[in-house]
Amino acid sequence: MLNIIIFGPPGAGKGTQSGLLIEKYNLNHISTGDLFRWHTKNETPLGKKVKEIMDSGNLVSDDITIAMLKEEVEKHPDVHGFLFDGFPRTVAQAEALDTLMESMSTAIHGVIELKVSEEEVRARIAKRKSIENRVDDDEDKLNKRIEEYFNKTVHVLPYYENQGRLKTVNGIGAIEKIFEEISIVADSFEVAKS
Ligand code: AMP
């Protein structure tokens, strides 16, 4: 298996790069944000529980998030690998993920940080908004998510950095160029694990 985490702030282009990565490396994409959105949209008991907190742009508790992630991973025991997106966002989640991978006799082989500064993310979002010419009802929520990322989520990075599992890629530039760099990093994870 090849298991990778993609990391980056909202608006960094993580969605686009994740799509390219899962195709090239035949990975199963697990986005906790997408899973939570599915639950809220379908009004499942879990969805009802997390709706308010998601609407506010805050993070869902570790217990709930880890349980949902674990269930999703365990549904796919025979895949070639996983691309984790939006998870982990806390050190407790990172530790739980390592334990889960270990229980499957595998590991997180590396973390790709798509580096875009807070300033750049805000500039991109403002540009997108002016092009699309729409009033964004979700602006407060988006601001909150950006804040969450730069104030809280980034603190997970040293966990991986200290173990030599973190690689940073510059997230500014053409999509193809960024993906070329990401591919070099993913190839290095593949080589290192064998
Ligand atoms: P995202 O699309 O990844 O930004 O996630 C959307 C929302 O889902 C976040 O603002 C959180 O409320 C929740 N969420 C997603 N992933 C996590 C996570 N790993 N831990 C806690 N909350 C999460």
Side-chain angles (χ1 to χ4, degrees):
M1 279 179 107
L2 175 67
N3 304 304
I4 298 175
I5 296 167
I6 187 157
F7 219 87
K14 244 180 344 141
T16 308
Q17 298 297 336
S18 293
L20 296 168
L21 260 173
I22 56 169
E23 199 171 312
K24 179 163 180 185
Y25 295 91
N26 188 19
L27 304 175
N28 195 294
H29 187 203
I30 297 192
S31 153
T32 43
D34 285 351
L35 288 172
F36 279 133
R37 275 184 288 276
W38 184 88
H39 280 283
T40 51
K41 191 171 157 241
N42 290 285
E43 297 182 346
T44 66
L46 173 60
K48 286 179 188 160
K49 216 191 249 177
V50 301
K51 185 172 185 330
E52 207 173 303
I53 188 127
M54 280 187 75
D55 282 348
S56 69
N58 285 302
L59 292 184
V60 176
S61 75
D62 283 339
D63 290 7
I64 292 178
T65 309
I66 291 167
M68 179 183 71
L69 184 278
K70 193 163 181 269
E71 194 187 320
E72 189 62 24
V73 166
E74 287 173 347
K75 270 189 210 160
H76 305 280
D78 299 322
V79 295
H80 184 251
F82 290 103
L83 176 67
F84 295 101
D85 175 357
F87 186 97
R89 272 163 142 110
T90 63
V91 172
Q93 291 181 12
E95 287 169 350
L97 185 58
D98 277 341
T99 305
L100 177 62
M101 292 291 106
E102 219 175 287
S103 76
M104 297 167 74
S105 306
T106 186
I108 292 296
H109 299 103
V111 178
I112 302 172
E113 179 199 8
L114 204 49
K115 185 117 189 157
V116 181
S117 70
E118 183 166 357
E119 235 178 14
E120 173 70 20
V121 166
R122 290 192 187 278
R124 278 187 191 184
I125 290 165
K127 192 174 163 202
R128 206 183 294 167
K129 215 174 123 184
S130 73
I131 291 170
E132 291 173 11
N133 194 25
R134 66 188 162 101
V135 180
D136 196 341
D137 296 332
D138 289 338
E139 195 164 352
D140 282 353
K141 185 171 151 189
L142 191 57
N143 279 328
K144 182 76 197 164
R145 285 170 61 210
I146 293 171
E147 233 175 73
E148 280 282 352
Y149 180 82
F150 288 101
N151 292 338
K152 288 195 191 156
T153 309
V154 287
H155 297 306
V156 179
L157 290 174
Y159 175 84
Y160 292 106
E161 196 174 18
N162 293 338
Q163 300 168 359
R165 289 192 284 175
L166 177 69
K167 289 274 193 295
T168 299
V169 168
N170 180 4
I172 299 175
I175 290 171
E176 307 76 41
K177 190 89 195 95
I178 296 169
F179 187 61
E180 248 172 56
E181 269 192 59
I182 287 183
S183 295
I184 293 169
V185 169
D187 289 344
S188 77
F189 293 156
E190 187 111 57
V191 169
K193 84 182 167 86
S194 47

